[in-house]
Amino acid sequence: MSKTENKQKTGENIDALYLHIPFCEKKCEYCDFCTFINMEHEYGKYTEALIKELKMYPEYEYDTVYFGGGTPSLLSIKMLSCIMETIKYTRNAEITLELNPNDMTEEKLQELRKIKINRLSIGIQSFQNHILKFIGRLHNGEDAVKVFENARKAGFDNISIDLMFGIPNQNMKDLKKDLEMILQLSPDNVSIYSLIWEEGTVFWSKMQKGLLYQMEQDLEAEMYELIIDFLKANGYEHYEISNFSKKGLAGRHNLKYWKNKQFLGVGMSAASYYKEKRYSNVRNFYKYYKFIDENIFPIDEKSVETVDETEYYKLKNMLGLRLINEGIEYFDDEKSESLLKRGLLEKFNKGTRLRLTRQGILLANDVFMEFI
């Protein structure tokens, strides 16, 4: 293990911070994240608790800060500003805020710039109104275009958008229209997600009742390949299995996850990888506030996993293979040789590294299972 890796192991150079804001206007029918609706009365109290939790950790200087959720943009500028004032960050830090197209005015976008938010992740999912309605989104295609254009006017030169595929009733024509709109808007990063049927969601319940059916795997794979080919043909780098960016604008925060670097997560349900431990916070307001009031880290003890050296390298390889061009260091063992023979991995960089092939990208989960 290198000196840099050892510093990561002991938590000496933590430089990535995730903040979970668990509020939404509406729960999407496919979502199983820790989010709550109609909780405006909790915004202030939760912000105060989150700041207290932040202060319980050492004062690290963060290179990336990520406000996720939920919908962080539901918090007032004053609340977001109070959180930002608590954080110490580097001069060129990447500071990202997730937002939905229907909860952001041009004025608020300008205010976000003033408090040093410099990157946006917009949950567009689709520009097709019938798809947005089907998955339970509150915005429409016009809202999506408008918020993107307003963000550019406000000075944001690093914007990521989310795009979903593999949705029941979605067809190739719908997807092609979405891709053409992406080309027109020209975001700096595109994150793609196939629909995952999570137990406990509205979609899961409808599937159990026979009201919805999963898309055929061949069609979903065809959609994925269309996205890859279209975005690459139009100047985007496919740098991670689910992410594409313009040159030099890959999302720095998530890259730290995929490079198996340690990070802190604060807020309900937030995950951390800190001092040889992986863990998540509790998902209940009462428990979260109680821990914070008692100056105790609000960790869900059932979630704590120790990352020993074996687990460290297992994670490093599994996560590293998500990086399309970087891959991982070549190692000669039965698993890697089998994956090479099956055409799911290939050697590169004079045989010193391994990466997924095109077929390996399509069957990535099968490859990752070999490392678990």
Side-chain angles (χ1 to χ4, degrees):
M1 187 176 290
S2 68
K3 288 182 179 179
T4 301
E5 288 175 324
N6 192 56
K7 281 186 176 182
Q8 273 290 322
K9 186 178 179 183
T10 56
E12 292 177 43
N13 59 347
I14 298 290
D15 66 355
L17 173 66
Y18 173 81
L19 306 106
H20 188 74
I21 311 299
F23 306 116
C24 281
E25 283 188 88
K26 181 186 178 184
K27 188 88 169 179
C28 295
E29 298 200 355
Y30 56 84
C31 178
D32 77 330
F33 292 165
C34 178
T35 61
F36 303 87
I37 62 172
N38 302 320
M39 298 291 281
E40 291 83 356
H41 58 283
E42 291 289 344
Y43 290 6
K45 184 176 181 180
Y46 183 81
T47 298
E48 291 175 4
L50 185 144
I51 288 172
K52 287 180 182 177
E53 184 188 356
L54 259 174
K55 291 180 177 179
M56 290 166 66
Y57 285 100
E59 188 183 36
Y60 293 109
E61 186 175 40
Y62 299 104
D63 172 64
T64 63
V65 177
Y66 195 102
F67 288 85
T71 312
S73 53
L74 288 178
L75 295 186
S76 68
I77 291 295
K78 183 177 180 181
M79 292 172 188
L80 291 169
S81 180
C82 286
I83 296 171
M84 285 296 295
E85 288 169 4
T86 309
I87 301 167
K88 184 180 180 182
Y89 49 88
T90 61
R91 182 170 172 269
N92 296 313
E94 175 194 88
I95 304 175
T96 305
L97 181 94
E98 290 184 350
L99 61 87
N100 286 332
N102 59 297
D103 59 31
M104 188 57 58
T105 64
E106 186 174 351
E107 292 73 24
K108 192 168 183 179
L109 284 162
Q110 292 169 350
E111 292 297 317
L112 288 174
R113 289 284 297 162
K114 291 177 183 176
I115 64 169
K116 307 302 182 184
I117 304 293
N118 57 24
R119 183 175 184 270
L120 299 177
S121 177
I122 307 177
I124 289 176
Q125 316 308 350
S126 174
F127 295 93
Q128 313 307 308
N129 290 339
H130 67 283
I131 291 177
L132 291 168
K133 184 177 180 180
F134 178 75
I135 62 178
R137 304 293 287 182
L138 289 174
H139 71 275
N140 58 37
E142 289 181 1
D143 295 331
V145 173
K146 185 177 180 180
V147 76
F148 187 93
E149 291 176 343
N150 283 342
R152 286 294 198 216
K153 289 177 185 176
F156 284 96
D157 56 6
N158 194 350
I159 303 175
S160 177
I161 69 170
D162 293 347
L163 178 71
M164 286 184 68
F165 68 101
I167 302 167
N169 303 323
Q170 183 185 31
N171 56 42
M172 294 296 284
K173 186 177 179 181
D174 292 324
L175 182 58
K176 287 176 182 177
K177 286 181 179 179
D178 280 339
L179 291 171
E180 289 294 340
M181 185 56 70
I182 286 173
L183 185 60
Q184 181 179 321
L185 293 178
S186 190
D188 307 288
N189 194 99
V190 180
S191 295
I192 63 169
Y193 303 95
S194 62
L195 178 63
I196 299 175
W197 299 78
E198 300 285 5
E199 190 170 354
T201 63
V202 174
F203 268 17
W204 175 269
S205 177
K206 288 181 177 179
M207 182 176 68
Q208 297 303 304
K209 295 173 183 176
L211 301 175
L212 285 181
Y213 299 92
Q214 294 188 45
M215 178 177 285
E216 291 182 4
Q217 286 187 344
D218 288 348
L219 177 56
E220 187 172 320
E222 188 179 347
M223 286 185 168
Y224 184 32
E225 291 201 87
L226 171 65
I227 294 169
I228 293 173
D229 293 337
F230 182 92
L231 291 177
K232 288 177 71 173
N234 285 285
Y236 286 88
E237 178 189 5
H238 188 194
Y239 69 93
E240 190 271 339
I241 285 178
S242 301
N243 282 272
F244 304 76
S245 75
K246 293 180 180 178
K247 189 172 182 179
L249 289 171
R252 281 158 49 190
H253 184 80
N254 285 348
L255 277 173
K256 294 179 190 295
Y257 297 158
W258 299 317
K259 290 182 178 181
N260 201 31
K261 293 187 175 182
Q262 296 199 45
F263 59 91
L264 287 182
V266 298
M268 285 168 51
S269 83
S272 295
Y273 177 18
Y274 186 58
K275 293 187 177 180
E276 301 182 313
K277 303 283 186 184
R278 281 186 175 269
Y279 56 85
S280 299
N281 284 349
V282 295
R283 300 170 63 97
N284 173 286
F285 280 103
Y286 173 77
K287 289 181 180 179
Y288 180 69
Y289 292 152
K290 189 173 187 297
F291 276 121
I292 299 299
D293 287 342
E294 295 175 1
N295 204 38
I296 300 171
F297 287 109
I299 298 169
D300 179 354
E301 291 300 326
K302 294 179 182 177
S303 72
V304 179
E305 297 178 10
T306 299
V307 182
D308 59 20
E309 194 160 340
T310 300
E311 186 68 14
Y312 172 83
Y313 283 109
K314 186 188 298 184
L315 286 166
K316 185 178 181 180
N317 288 330
M318 187 172 66
L319 293 169
L321 281 173
R322 294 187 65 94
L323 299 173
I324 304 298
N325 296 323
E326 294 185 35
I328 62 174
E329 187 175 346
Y330 171 69
F331 55 98
D332 184 7
D333 74 349
E334 190 175 326
K335 288 179 183 177
S336 60
E337 293 305 318
S338 172
L339 292 167
L340 284 163
K341 287 178 182 177
R342 291 163 60 189
L344 301 179
L345 291 181
E346 64 182 3
K347 295 180 185 179
F348 71 108
N349 196 29
K350 298 180 179 179
T352 63
R353 298 189 69 79
L354 291 172
R355 65 186 171 197
L356 295 170
T357 61
R358 178 65 173 255
Q359 185 66 12
I361 292 171
L362 296 175
L363 298 173
N365 286 336
D366 292 345
V367 177
F368 298 153
M369 287 298 293
E370 296 291 334
F371 293 91
I372 293 176

